[in-house]
Amino acid sequence: MLLKRLTEARGVSGNEKEVREIIINEIKDYVDDIHIDRIGNIIAYKKGEIDTPRLMIAAHMDEVGLMITKIEDSGLLKFTCVGGIDQRVLVSKPVLVGNKKVNGVIGSKPIHMQKKTEWKKALDYKELYIDIGASSKEEAEKLVTVGEYASFLSDYVEFGDNLVKAKALDDRVGCNILIDLLKTNRKLSIYGVFTVMEEIGLVGAGPAAYNIEPDIGIILEGTTCSDVPGLEEHLQATELGKGPAISIMDRTTIFNKDLRKMIIDIAKKNDIPYQLRRTTFGGNDSGKIHLAKQGAITATISVPCRYIHSPISVMSKSDYDNAKRLLNLFIDNLEKGGFNNEF
């Protein structure tokens, strides 16, 4: 299964090679051109019968993770976080470290040795370490070097009522949807872009959009789902199983209202469940895409994911399927000339 391979692949921001190779192998026989730019974005072009509007569809390849910053004399590894990670979830998690994929576990001072005041707060990553079983610095240095990445070790598992748990659903769900789209025949030419380093500041999207100069940018994302006890409804960004989420605004973009209305109207007409992303925190690649050259209008179609930016996220397969269906119907509408932008 493609989503299993994508989520289990290692692709911490700046180290997307493993994910990139899977994607290239999947799409190479279905697109007219594949260009890897200087920072590692995949820009795939699938030529159709019509070229306007110029459409760019983006999904980011990278995931949150860790980077090794020091090897202690004891052989334990110090690290820093790459991307936004809730540090409370780090302790005891298994990881794969470095190019050799060394097994390790994130450890801390035992609770028996902690002061009572320490029990009341989350341990900062500076108080944690990765144990790879080495007994000395010299032994550890044979396996790992400073500057190498560590990724969470987490298997893809289907469970419960049509649910999936895996790491990196943000944004391998978007990558999978975009791959499947590029394998279909469309009348409208499409630029399918798999971006790098979204999790550390939307790094890849800007250069890619500058190259393409899109009229319209659609961002496929795995987004925050917070339908959990103890959180007021208005703070619940999305809910699992209620359909793909359409963004109104976030910290980097106020999304185009006409484009959003078109997508919502398509969902209503075709009985596709959808929801509006109720919160405005965070951002995605739209923040750079809509600023490129003369600018582009953008919209985001997201798959809600619980426990995002952690070793294990959870999504509903029905939300995934409906996001994919909505995207395809949106492109059908563009091909019929069904979009009129009014500023």
Side-chain angles (χ1 to χ4, degrees):
M1 179 182 292
L2 179 57
L3 187 58
K4 173 180 170 65
R5 288 192 287 125
L6 286 169
T7 55
E8 292 183 353
R10 305 172 71 222
V12 180
S13 296
N15 190 43
E16 297 90 353
K17 182 176 184 293
E18 192 173 322
V19 181
R20 183 164 47 243
E21 289 177 348
I22 292 173
I23 293 171
I24 291 172
N25 188 59
E26 285 290 326
I27 67 173
K28 64 183 180 182
D29 297 327
Y30 298 92
V31 298
D32 295 278
D33 182 66
I34 296 177
H35 171 64
I36 312 301
D37 67 16
R38 290 175 183 168
I39 58 174
N41 293 311
I42 301 173
I43 301 176
Y45 178 61
K46 189 176 183 71
K47 184 169 179 54
E49 300 171 17
I50 51 178
D51 296 324
T52 56
R54 187 180 290 251
L55 176 63
M56 172 179 173
I57 303 177
H60 68 89
M61 294 184 284
D62 61 314
E63 64 190 277
V64 298
L66 313 171
M67 180 180 283
I68 307 306
T69 57
K70 183 182 179 183
I71 302 176
E72 299 282 6
D73 291 339
S74 62
L76 298 174
L77 312 179
K78 300 298 289 184
F79 63 87
T80 190
C81 296
V82 180
I85 301 176
D86 183 348
Q87 297 180 46
R88 293 172 296 179
V89 306
L90 290 175
V91 178
S92 80
K93 299 304 185 295
V95 293
L96 290 177
V97 184
N99 296 330
K100 295 180 179 179
K101 298 184 179 181
V102 179
N103 280 283
V105 62
I106 300 173
S108 68
K109 181 170 60 175
I111 193 169
H112 312 80
M113 306 297 294
Q114 294 175 18
K115 299 176 182 178
K116 287 188 177 181
T117 54
E118 293 180 288
W119 298 356
K120 299 179 181 179
K121 65 180 182 68
L123 293 172
D124 189 271
Y125 73 88
K126 296 175 183 177
E127 301 172 84
L128 306 176
Y129 52 81
I130 298 174
D131 187 343
I132 59 171
S135 58
S136 67
K137 182 175 183 179
E138 292 73 24
E139 186 179 345
E141 286 177 333
K142 294 176 182 178
L143 301 171
V144 178
T145 60
V146 170
E148 287 194 289
Y149 291 86
S151 58
F152 297 118
L153 180 57
S154 177
D155 294 333
Y156 174 100
V157 177
E158 296 186 8
F159 75 112
D161 184 12
N162 210 29
L163 302 183
V164 167
K165 60 185 179 79
K167 75 169 180 65
L169 288 172
D170 174 21
D171 182 32
R172 306 292 158 70
V173 291
C175 292
N176 202 149
I177 291 171
L178 182 50
I179 289 168
D180 287 347
L181 174 67
L182 292 173
K183 290 180 178 180
T184 64
N185 293 319
R186 308 296 323 193
K187 291 182 180 179
L188 180 64
S189 298
I190 295 172
Y191 289 89
V193 182
F194 302 86
T195 63
V196 297
M197 294 182 277
E198 190 264 5
E199 298 291 4
I200 58 169
L202 321 181
V203 174
Y210 189 89
N211 183 334
I212 294 168
E213 297 185 66
D215 299 313
I216 297 174
I218 301 296
I219 295 82
L220 304 176
E221 264 284 22
T223 196
T224 304
C225 178
S226 47
D227 56 344
V228 294
L231 200 63
E232 295 180 29
E233 185 176 350
H234 73 280
L235 295 175
Q236 295 180 3
T238 63
E239 298 177 66
L240 219 63
K242 297 295 181 67
I246 313 301
S247 294
I248 299 172
M249 67 171 286
D250 58 32
R251 289 181 180 174
T252 65
T253 308
I254 296 177
F255 294 92
N256 182 269
K257 60 181 176 58
D258 294 320
L259 196 57
R260 180 173 66 250
K261 182 178 184 302
M262 174 183 169
I263 293 171
I264 290 173
D265 287 346
I266 290 169
K268 290 178 177 178
K269 181 179 178 180
N270 293 277
D271 296 321
I272 298 175
Y274 76 93
Q275 53 191 309
L276 294 177
R277 187 176 183 271
R278 290 192 288 261
T279 55
T280 59
F281 52 78
N284 62 39
D285 278 339
S286 171
K288 293 295 179 70
I289 293 170
H290 82 284
L291 298 176
K293 289 194 175 179
Q294 298 182 65
I297 59 173
T298 60
T300 295
I301 299 174
S302 301
V303 176
C305 297
R306 286 179 184 153
Y307 327 123
I308 206 166
H309 285 203
S310 78
I312 301 176
S313 306
V314 172
M315 75 162 198
S316 165
K317 292 173 71 176
S318 66
D319 290 339
Y320 172 89
D321 291 339
N322 281 315
K324 181 177 173 180
R325 184 177 170 218
L326 182 56
L327 174 67
N328 278 276
L329 288 170
F330 166 77
I331 297 173
D332 287 346
N333 203 289
L334 282 185
E335 291 172 343
K336 297 172 184 174
F339 177 63
N340 180 30
N341 180 222
E342 297 179 1
F343 294 98

